[in-house]
Amino acid sequence: MARIDWGFQGRGKWCSCKRTTLIICSINIFVALYGLHSLYNYIYISSNIDSQSAVKYTTDQIRKMEESIRIRRASEPLELIKLVKEVEKELSSEASEVELSRPVKQKIADEILQRLKSLDQNSNASLKREVVESWRREKLEEAKKSMNSTTPPEEAGMLVRALESNWALLFEEIGLWMPTEVIYKEHDDKPEGEEEIDDGIIPGRPLPPECHAEIHTDYDGAAVRWGLTHHKESAADCCQACLDHAKRAKPGDKKCNIWVYCPSETGCYSPDIYDHKNGECWLKYAEKPRLNFKDRYSESYRNSHPAAPLFVPWVSGVVSA
């Protein structure tokens, strides 16, 4: 009897565990189905909200929008845009620097200097500019006809670009400076029949004869006024400063009899340690004035001083003390 009771109790416990397991599994399945149902409802509702919030256009509205886009594209200034791009490309090509070799620059400087030396010493700035411009046109035509020239085609092409677009830059690189000429247009309000008075005034603040100005010239001498802190608007003003200094000098003092002026906007070269700026006016004294440099720096000097340009950038003059 004891074994029979034990067996009955074992089967009862097994049935109880099975029932509990089924209940737990049923609950898990119900929770999973409920979760899937909630997720499906969320996705469905979201898709409905998105579809309802999307803008729906009618066929007539779509047709009008397409017509508007077509009109806008047709009204674009295509030719103007193309022209602007071509101009920008041309300007960018012109802006590119043309590096010429030193022998070519030396040859250019020699030819220009030879043309200028053929002029009379009293030639004005306008005539000198015309001579240099005439040389440029001749050289440009010769470079373009490279087949009939001794210049190699590659060098001729670089020379053409330099003379056409970088002429001013090339002028600065070889150290050539030409005095500017200021042209004034004066209104003639003289009464009819009245004789005109020739007052001899030259437009553009001319240099007086007593200044004895020499372009591309640097005179040596003991400085009585340092140009680093003494700037003037023009060479004529620098010369006048020298004359005034000589007049105000006390007995026994060194009187200015040499003036040296830097006219170049990019500054003037000098073998010293200073950076010489445009407008520097050096007042000097020398019992027997002598030249430091004249016209252009020699090839041997430029080989030992690579920073030196071809032409002497200074303007100088010797005055009577």
Side-chain angles (χ1 to χ4, degrees), residues 160-213:
V160 167
R161 292 193 296 273
L163 294 177
E164 284 184 337
S165 58
N166 294 328
W167 176 234
L169 178 61
L170 181 60
F171 236 48
E172 289 289 340
E173 287 182 357
I174 64 177
L176 183 62
W177 173 81
M178 294 294 292
T180 57
E181 182 179 18
V182 181
I183 300 176
Y184 295 95
K185 290 186 178 180
E186 184 178 354
H187 177 65
D188 186 11
D189 54 356
K190 178 178 65 67
E192 187 177 355
E194 182 178 343
E195 293 185 1
E196 184 176 356
I197 300 175
D198 185 10
D199 52 13
I201 296 176
I202 301 175
R205 183 88 171 97
L207 283 157
E210 59 267 23
C211 290
H212 305 290

Side-chain angles (χ1 to χ4, degrees), residues 264-307:
S264 176
E265 294 183 358
T266 57
C268 293
Y269 168 81
S270 185
D272 54 32
I273 61 174
Y274 302 107
D275 184 16
H276 297 280
K277 304 294 185 180
N278 169 249
E280 284 189 14
C281 175
W282 289 79
L283 306 184
K284 301 180 180 180
Y285 168 79
E287 185 177 352
K288 294 181 180 180
R290 64 182 182 87
L291 289 169
N292 277 334
F293 302 99
K294 178 71 174 177
D295 291 334
R296 62 182 178 86
Y297 298 101
S298 64
E299 185 174 357
S300 59
Y301 180 84
R302 295 182 66 248
N303 288 335
S304 58
H305 299 78

Side-chain angles (χ1 to χ4, degrees), residues 254-270:
K254 293 180 179 180
K255 298 181 180 181
C256 175
N257 64 342
I258 300 172
W259 59 272
V260 182
Y261 182 73
C262 175
S264 176
E265 294 183 358
T266 57
C268 293
Y269 168 81
S270 185

Side-chain angles (χ1 to χ4, degrees), residues 67-83:
E67 181 69 15
S68 176
I69 294 173
R70 186 187 63 80
I71 293 174
R72 180 177 58 81
R73 290 179 178 176
S75 62
E76 289 181 352
L78 299 179
E79 292 297 328
L80 179 59
I81 295 174
K82 182 179 179 181
L83 181 60

Side-chain angles (χ1 to χ4, degrees), residues 30 113 127 155 184 198 204 213 236:
F30 174 77
L113 187 59
L127 181 58
E155 185 178 301
Y184 295 95
D198 185 10

Side-chain angles (χ1 to χ4, degrees), residues 89-249:
K89 183 178 180 181
E90 183 178 352
L91 291 176
S92 62
S93 62
E94 289 182 356
S96 59
E97 295 185 0
V98 180
E99 288 293 337
L100 296 177
S101 60
R102 174 173 288 189
V104 175
K105 293 180 181 178
Q106 185 77 39
K107 183 180 178 182
I108 291 174
D110 291 340
E111 292 182 4
I112 294 177
L113 187 59
Q114 192 65 29
R115 290 288 185 96
L116 293 176
K117 284 184 176 180
S118 63
L119 295 175
D120 187 78
Q121 293 183 354
N122 298 325
S123 301
N124 56 25
S126 178
L127 181 58
K128 292 178 180 179
R129 286 185 173 276
E130 288 179 4
V131 169
V132 175
E133 181 63 23
S134 175
W135 172 89
R136 186 186 73 87
R137 289 194 298 266
E138 293 175 6
K139 196 68 177 178
L140 184 59
E141 184 178 355
E142 178 186 348
K144 288 181 177 180
K145 297 178 180 179
S146 57
M147 298 300 295
N148 301 326
S149 173
T150 57
T151 306
E154 297 81 3
E155 185 178 301
M158 296 177 64
L159 187 58
V160 167
R161 292 193 296 273
L163 294 177
E164 284 184 337
S165 58
N166 294 328
W167 176 234
L169 178 61
L170 181 60
F171 236 48
E172 289 289 340
E173 287 182 357
I174 64 177
L176 183 62
W177 173 81
M178 294 294 292
T180 57
E181 182 179 18
V182 181
I183 300 176
Y184 295 95
K185 290 186 178 180
E186 184 178 354
H187 177 65
D188 186 11
D189 54 356
K190 178 178 65 67
E192 187 177 355
E194 182 178 343
E195 293 185 1
E196 184 176 356
I197 300 175
D198 185 10
D199 52 13
I201 296 176
I202 301 175
R205 183 88 171 97
L207 283 157
E210 59 267 23
C211 290
H212 305 290
E214 301 177 47
I215 64 173
H216 304 302
T217 305
D218 180 15
Y219 273 99
D220 192 15
V224 296
R225 184 67 187 272
W226 274 55
L228 296 175
T229 56
H230 185 232
H231 287 212
K232 293 296 180 182
E233 291 294 330
S234 65
D237 294 332
C238 184
C239 171
Q240 187 61 48
C242 182
L243 296 173
D244 294 341
H245 181 277
K247 291 178 182 179
R248 294 192 302 265

